[in-house]
Amino acid sequence: MDAPATSAVAGSAAGDCRPYTLIAELTYRCPLHCPYCSNPLDHSRTKDELQTSDWLRVFGQAEELGVVQVHLTGGEPLARRDLEPLVAGARQLGLYTNLITSGIPLTRQRLAELKRAGLDAVQVSIQGVDAAGSDRVAGYPSFDDKCVALGWARELDLPLTLNVVLHRDNIGRVSEMVALAERVGAHRLELANTQYLGWALANREALLPTREQLDRARTIAHAARERLEGRIDVLFVMPDYYSERPRACMDGWGRRFIDVTPDGTVLPCQAARSIAGLAFDRVGDRSLRDAWERSPGMLAFRGDEWMVEPCRSCPKKTLDFGGCRCQSFALTGDARVADPACHLSPHHDLVARARAESDDAGARRFLYRGGR
């Protein structure tokens, strides 16, 4: 697609668009092969990674922009040997640091060192509630080691989030996921239904649950949230494909979140480079502030001047911002159109058809991350 003229949205480049969260994608390396991985389909082509000094400079520039928290993620951030000095550097700047990890590979000693360096919280992902199910989805024997890592986090008194990506293969076991969160002493349980971009879109037929499965899981999750209020924060994230209105993806394009990839590309979200025709800056070429305020790609869908109908005249456009630009492009080839997840979108039939097909879908083989 041709990106909209940046002059049309340049007025909203600053002011009300202040980033508060930095998503630091430290590496695309990961021992797991999850079929819904958020890394790009062509992630293996990215060989370059920012050095320690580069990331520390990014952290400093992010703090100057107003960022208050940094999510250290990947791939698997534990693959970085410099994770401890990166955490320490962020702490010195007063940034809240959250490690988003599969827990593979991790030792108790390293987790303790990360805490001493200033790590504030840890989020560990699991793919199921037993080794057979979890390891099949991960494409790697990892469940038992993950459970050990969960115990270490609690032993070291680190605030712990247990993250489970829900899909057709595991959504029937939400009650067991809640029980696991209680057993390991998690502070937060994120039951996040798969969002169908990248690897997940390639695996949609194998991952998309039925309406019956979703309704049952949501009922169980809501009951758990009420029962565990004050002990565990239970969050259930609906899949876009079963929502009448689109989510305000990333709280709007280039408004609150700033993502830096392993090679230093500055994005509004992890999937933004999937949209053809957008140009993004790299931190090695200009400052983070310049990239945030002036990058053509960052400006492309900031504000609402780029919108077409029905978004342009929609009274909720300042709430959902037209939905996910990456999903619009992935499903229609045009990032400007209303997110097909919205029932008002002229392309909503693409989502409705996928839902209908999920009711008739049998077992499907996964296309694993990395082509495995």
Side-chain angles (χ1 to χ4, degrees):
M1 60 160 274
D2 295 326
T6 57
S7 59
V9 291
S12 60
D16 63 336
C17 296
R18 170 184 174 271
Y20 62 75
T21 298
L22 169 66
I23 302 172
E25 296 186 80
L26 301 180
T27 181
Y28 287 146
R29 289 174 286 153
C30 183
L32 306 189
H33 306 275
C34 302
Y36 46 72
C37 180
S38 63
N39 291 163
L41 292 172
D42 62 351
H43 68 89
S44 60
R45 297 182 183 179
T46 301
K47 304 298 183 183
D48 296 335
E49 293 184 1
L50 295 181
Q51 300 300 306
T52 308
S53 58
D54 298 323
W55 276 114
L56 293 176
R57 185 174 66 255
V58 168
F59 292 168
Q61 293 178 359
E63 192 276 335
E64 292 174 359
L65 264 177
V67 165
V68 298
Q69 62 181 347
V70 55
H71 294 319
L72 302 167
T73 184
E76 175 48 65
L78 292 171
R80 294 279 304 215
R81 296 182 179 180
D82 59 352
L83 190 55
E84 291 81 355
L86 292 180
V87 169
R91 166 53 67 91
Q92 289 175 1
L93 292 165
L95 297 172
Y96 183 92
T97 56
N98 180 32
L99 176 64
I100 300 177
T101 176
S102 69
I104 308 295
L106 184 64
T107 64
R108 190 185 189 283
Q109 179 181 351
R110 190 172 194 198
L111 189 58
E113 291 172 352
L114 288 167
K115 183 181 179 181
R116 284 194 292 271
L119 185 67
D120 290 293
V122 61
Q123 174 179 308
V124 178
S125 64
I126 63 169
Q127 286 69 38
V129 294
D130 56 34
S134 182
D135 294 351
R136 186 179 81 83
V137 174
Y140 185 86
S142 54
F143 180 76
D144 292 340
D145 290 337
K146 285 173 177 285
C147 290
V148 173
L150 292 170
W152 291 335
R154 295 306 300 124
E155 287 176 19
L156 294 169
D157 199 28
L158 277 166
L160 172 64
T161 293
L162 185 62
N163 173 267
V164 190
V165 176
L166 297 180
H167 48 80
R168 189 182 189 91
D169 195 67
N170 65 9
I171 197 170
R173 306 187 71 174
V174 166
S175 59
E176 294 168 83
M177 295 169 189
V178 173
L180 176 60
E182 291 185 83
R183 190 162 63 249
V184 302
H187 294 83
R188 181 180 176 87
L189 172 62
E190 290 187 0
L191 299 167
N193 274 275
T194 305
Q195 302 301 325
Y196 294 97
L197 295 168
W199 290 99
L201 182 58
N203 282 291
R204 187 176 65 184
E205 289 187 354
L207 295 172
L208 186 64
T210 65
R211 168 67 75 176
E212 181 181 5
Q213 286 179 310
L214 181 65
D215 289 345
R216 187 183 309 116
R218 182 168 52 175
T219 298
I220 294 170
H222 285 184
R225 182 173 62 189
E226 293 181 3
R227 177 174 63 84
L228 296 170
E229 185 176 5
R231 291 172 49 204
I232 302 177
D233 182 15
V234 178
L235 177 67
F236 187 87
V237 181
M238 285 283 290
D240 288 354
Y241 279 48
Y242 285 99
S243 300
E244 287 296 301
R245 303 288 309 194
R247 295 178 303 116
C249 188
M250 305 299 289
D251 198 21
W253 181 280
R255 294 186 69 250
R256 298 289 178 257
F257 290 81
I258 187 166
D259 180 280
V260 179
T261 69
D263 67 0
T265 303
V266 183
L267 306 173
C269 71
Q270 289 166 286
R273 280 198 292 193
S274 66
I275 300 177
L278 294 185
F280 295 101
D281 294 324
R282 294 178 62 172
V283 293
D285 300 326
R286 64 194 311 181
S287 71
L288 194 64
R289 179 177 296 277
D290 281 346
W292 173 259
E293 294 182 348
R294 298 182 176 87
S295 166
M298 193 68 73
L299 294 175
F301 304 109
R302 185 179 282 167
D304 59 17
E305 291 298 319
W306 57 270
M307 290 183 179
V308 297
E309 295 295 347
C311 297
R312 179 175 288 274
S313 60
C314 181
K316 295 188 176 181
K317 68 181 180 181
T318 58
L319 299 177
D320 61 34
F321 306 100
C324 177
R325 298 301 89 222
C326 301
Q327 184 156 267
S328 292
F329 182 79
L331 295 182
T332 74
D334 187 347
R336 293 186 188 91
V337 301
D339 186 340
C342 180
H343 73 287
L344 298 175
S345 169
H347 303 284
H348 185 63
D349 64 300
L350 297 173
V351 169
R353 191 181 312 134
R355 288 199 306 258
E357 291 171 353
S358 73
D359 290 333
D360 300 323
R364 297 285 199 280
R365 292 177 62 104
F366 292 138
L367 171 65
Y368 286 100
R369 174 190 187 270
R372 176 172 173 175

